[in-house]
Amino acid sequence: MSRVSLSFDDPFERFLRPPPGETPEEKAARLEQEEEAKRINAEIEEALKAERAASKRRRAQEVSILLLGESGKTTTLKQLLLNFSDTVFAEERASWRAVVFLNVITSFKTILQALAKELESTSDSPRSPADDFVIQLDGGTTARFAEMKMRLSPVLHIESALVRKLNGGTDWPNTKNGNASLQQPTEVSVRGQGWKKAFQSHRHQSAKANAGDGIDWDDREDPGVILNACRNEMMALWNNQRVRDVLKRQKILLEDSGFFLDQLDRITGRRYVPTDDDILRTRLKTVGASEHTFTMTSGPEKGMTWKIYDVGGSRTQRPSWAPFFDDVDAILCLAPISAFDQVLTEDKRINRLEDSINLWIELCSNKILAKVPLILFLNKCDLLKTKLDSGVSVKKYVPSYGDRKNDFPTASQYFQSKFEYIKKQHSPSDREVYIHLTSMTVRFRSSPFTSLSLWRKGEMALILLHICLLLVLDLHCRIWAMLCNPQSRQSMVSILSSGQYLAEHRRPGRSADLPFL
Ligand SMILES: Nc1nc2c(ncn2[C@@H]2O[C@H](COP(=O)(O)OP(=O)(O)OP(=O)(O)O)[C@@H](O)[C@H]2O)c(=O)[nH]1
Ligand SMILES: [Mg+2]
C-alpha cells in the first residue's frame, strides 16, 4: 500500500515512467538512449575527476609569493630574476639603458632645483652667492649657474622623448611639450612588462643594431649622444663640493644615493651598456601589478613553478593588492629601515618608517591573512649605515630610541626588535613570521654557502636563502650564527627553502576583501 502511494507522490517517477503503450522497439531504443546518457555522464565525471587531480597536482607544484611594502619590491624581484638566470636582462639592455639615463636626468633635475632654491634664498645677501657660484670646467674654463643650466638643457630635454618611448608613444603628463624647465622631478612609472620592448623593437627594425646588446650605435637620435656631449658639465657639477654641500644642507637624498652620478664617466661613455648591477639599481615606479613565473628546469624541485607578484607600493596603489591575497602562499614585505627621517612622496605628513610600521601591523593582525607565512625584509641597511655614519640622529626622529648608541648595530637591532614586538602583539602565535636585515641593491655573488644545497631544497630555495642570508650587512657573523644555531637554521630552511613546503602548507581559500586597505 505504502509503495503504491509513494510511486504516485514521487515527482521523478512520473518523468521516468515509460510512455503508455510503448512498443518493444521503442522500449529498446529508450533503454539504449538511457545507456548512452549514462556512458556520457560517466565520461564527464571521469574527465572532471582527472582535471581536479591535475589541478591539485599543478597547485602542489606551484608556489606564489606576493611582494608588498613601500620600497624595494621591484629590486627584490630583479635579484630573484638575476639569480634565476644570468642572462635574464640580456635582451632588455637597450631599454634598461634608457631607464639609467632617465634616472641620471632625474638626479640632475633635483640638483639644479636645489641650487636654484639655494641661490634664491641667498640672493638678497649683500654679496650675492650667485656671483660666487662658479663651476670649474675642463680646460680651465668656468661657468656660472645660469650658464650651467643652459649647457645642461639638452640633457633635460631628452627626458620627455625617453619617457614617451617607454610609455609606448604616450606623453608623460609632466613632460608634455618637451618642457625642460626645472619643474619638480617626476618619478617615471611603468605598468606591466611591455615597456621592456620599447627599445627592443628598435633593434629589430634597424639593420645596424648590434646583435649583442640591441643598441644602434649609429643612431644620431640615440640619447647617449647628448649625454656624451654634456658629460664634462655633468661631471663638473656633480663633483663640485659646493653642490654636495647644498644637497646636504637641504637634506636631499638622491633616489639611487648617487650611484649613477658617481659613475658618470662610464655611463656617459659613447658605448655605454648597462651592467646587471646598473639594472639592479635603476628606479622605475611600478603601477598596477605584474606576475613573474619561474619554472625549475632541473634539481630536486624540477617542474616546480614559482609565481612572484610585484605590485605598486604607493598609497594610491594599495587597493590593487587585494585580489592577490586570495591565492598567495607567502607574503614578502619590504620596509626601508633607513627611512626613519623621511616622509612619503605622496603624503609629506607621513613618516616613511611609520608608514611601514602601520602596514606591518595591518598585515600581522589581518584575520584573512592569518595563515599566510610572512617574511619581512628590513631593507636599505646600507643606507641606514651611511646615514648613521654621517651623523643623522635616530633619537631626533624616533624619541623612544633614547640615548642608545647612534650606530648601525644598535639601531638595526632596535628597529628589528620593534617589528618583532609588533609581530608578537598582532600576529596569531602559530603564524610563521621571519624578519631579516637586507640590502637589496647589493648583488649577491656565488659564495661558500652553495654548500647549503646539502639541505633539502631546490634552486629557488637557495636564491631565497641567499637573499635572506647573504645580503645581510654584517654578513659573516650572521651567517655563522645561523649555521651554528640549529633552531634558526631549521626555521629558515622550512619556511624559505622549499617551495614544496609552502605548497604543502597552503592555507584554505580566502576572501579577496581586505578591510584595512
Ligand atoms: N641603497 C639602497 N637602495 C635600495 C635598496 N632597495 C631598493 N633600493 C632603491 O630604492 C628605490 C626603490 O626601489 P624599488 O625596488 O623600485 O621599490 P618598489 O617597492 O618597487 O617601489 P614602487 O614600485 O614605487 O612600489 C630604487 O631606487 C632602488 O634602487 C637597498 O637595499 N639599498
Ligand atoms: Mg616597484
Side-chain angles (χ1 to χ4, degrees), residues 115-134 144-146 242:
L115 293 179
K117 191 174 158 195
E118 178 83 1
L119 296 179
E120 214 173 275
S121 69
T122 53
S123 59
D124 49 357
S125 61
R127 183 165 172 259
S128 169
D131 297 332
D132 298 333
F133 201 91
V134 176
R144 292 184 196 286
F145 176 66
R242 180 131 181 250

Side-chain angles (χ1 to χ4, degrees), residues 295-323:
T295 301
M296 298 293 114
T297 50
S298 59
E301 290 189 9
K302 188 174 173 187
M304 172 73 77
T305 298
W306 288 73
K307 280 190 178 168
I308 316 279
Y309 299 105
D310 181 22
V311 293
S314 66
R315 291 197 143 206
T316 50
Q317 293 285 307
R318 292 182 194 177
S320 70
W321 296 356

Side-chain angles (χ1 to χ4, degrees), residues 186-361:
T186 316
E187 265 211 297
V188 179
S189 64
V190 285
R191 193 181 278 279
Q193 303 294 308
W195 67 271
K196 290 181 181 170
K197 297 202 178 82
F199 287 77
Q200 249 57 54
S201 55
H202 180 72
R203 175 175 76 152
H204 297 304
Q205 283 159 15
S206 169
K208 292 177 195 161
N210 180 321
D213 46 43
I215 300 160
D216 180 0
W217 298 114
D218 297 330
D219 179 7
R220 294 167 69 95
E221 286 175 22
D222 174 22
V225 174
I226 291 175
L227 283 161
N228 181 255
C230 297
R231 70 194 313 225
N232 288 339
E233 285 79 0
M234 292 163 85
M235 286 194 276
L237 195 64
W238 174 239
N239 292 324
N240 185 284
Q241 189 51 47
R242 180 131 181 250
V243 172
R244 302 291 182 101
D245 293 343
V246 168
L247 293 177
K248 201 170 170 187
R249 196 159 41 249
Q250 292 187 20
K251 294 196 172 67
I252 290 173
L253 194 68
L254 299 176
E255 184 75 59
D256 66 352
S257 325
F259 176 82
F260 290 130
L261 300 198
D262 282 341
Q263 308 199 35
L264 277 174
D265 195 20
R266 180 173 63 87
I267 288 167
T268 58
R270 194 51 201 98
R271 294 237 160 195
Y272 166 69
V273 180
T275 63
D276 288 344
D277 284 330
D278 293 343
I279 293 172
L280 197 58
R281 286 279 184 161
T282 51
R283 165 68 177 148
L284 211 46
K285 185 176 165 174
T286 309
V287 174
S290 57
E291 178 187 314
H292 301 259
T293 305
F294 323 83
T295 301
M296 298 293 114
T297 50
S298 59
E301 290 189 9
K302 188 174 173 187
M304 172 73 77
T305 298
W306 288 73
K307 280 190 178 168
I308 316 279
Y309 299 105
D310 181 22
V311 293
S314 66
R315 291 197 143 206
T316 50
Q317 293 285 307
R318 292 182 194 177
S320 70
W321 296 356
F324 295 91
F325 291 135
D326 229 8
D327 198 27
V328 73
D329 298 312
I331 289 178
L332 200 164
C333 180
L334 286 116
I337 53 169
S338 61
F340 65 88
D341 62 339
Q342 290 171 268
V343 290
L344 291 179
T345 319
E346 62 267 32
D347 189 342
K348 307 273 182 240
R349 294 163 307 170
I350 299 171
N351 177 284
R352 283 180 69 186
L353 185 61
E354 192 184 334
D355 181 63
S356 289
I357 290 172
N358 286 333
L359 181 60
W360 183 236
I361 293 174

